[in-house]
Amino acid sequence: MEYERERSHLVKSLKEQGISERTLKAMKKVQRHLFVPSIHTSRAYVDSPLPIGHAQTISAPHMVAIMCDLLDLQDGQRILEIGTGSGYNAAVMAEIIGKKGHIYSIERLEPLANFARRNLEKTGYSNVEVILADGSGGYPEHGPYDRICVTASAPETPKPLLEQLKPGGIMILPEGEAFQNLFIVRKSMSGEITKENRGGVIFVPLVGDYGFNMFTGHR
Ligand code: SAM
């Protein structure tokens, strides 16, 4: 398999950063070089974000790994992802939840939704469905979800996402404009919401009805 040595090297460094065996196994399998534009193929296993066009990026591998670990993904879950980008994060989650699980991934930019669909098709992740829409208000059609993964930074936690999270569910999302933090949001079985700040991050903005304004870039 192509780039196997580079991928193993990356996985080894993620292991040293304390990433779980489950996530490492998935990251060893998913071929990141098939999710980046061809001019960046040779840098696919460097642990950094890369441009995917349209002013967007594929997240750094360590960020994808941390988010998967914090989500505590389990076999067979129903997942909502907001911000498909290249489809890589969705592929890693699909590897972890297995064939019985399903991922609904929402992307607002059509060229990227198509890019992700092609990438997921050629790598064989048929349980990831890419939907072209503003996902800032979630995707109530198939909710509630066991897990929600938001990969763009919101001004605040969108209320519809809280409603679409199952009791016992976990959501992870970056929040903030100039200064962003990564939050884990948990919904208890009785519906109580708790929010834990996991520290500073840098993501592209969530743009839409419950995100930032498309034209001003602010709330
Ligand atoms: N997870 C992606 C990957 O593995 O390549 C990286 C996602 S990138 C950091 C964030 C994505 O969120 C961009 O593709 C952007 O277009 C998308 N996005 C921003 N606001 C959105 C919204 N309201 N609904 C859906 N997608 C949105």
Side-chain angles (χ1 to χ4, degrees), residues 9 53 55 88 90 103 128 192:
H9 195 263
Y88 175 73
I103 300 178
V128 181
E192 192 199 346

Side-chain angles (χ1 to χ4, degrees), residues 32 35 50 52-59 64 67 81-91 93 105-109 112-113 115 131-137 149-153 202-212:
R32 192 172 186 255
F35 288 85
L50 288 170
I52 52 172
H54 312 278
Q56 306 302 323
T57 53
I58 176 173
S59 306
V64 172
M67 288 175 94
E81 180 185 48
I82 318 292
T84 318
S86 67
Y88 175 73
N89 198 344
M93 293 194 291
S105 184
I106 322 287
E107 173 55 55
R108 65 177 280 271
L109 299 175
L112 289 181
F115 178 58
I131 296 126
L132 177 66
D134 169 11
S136 64
C149 181
V150 185
T151 70
S153 188
I202 302 174
F203 278 85
V204 295
L206 183 76
V207 173
D209 288 351
Y210 292 86
F212 292 100

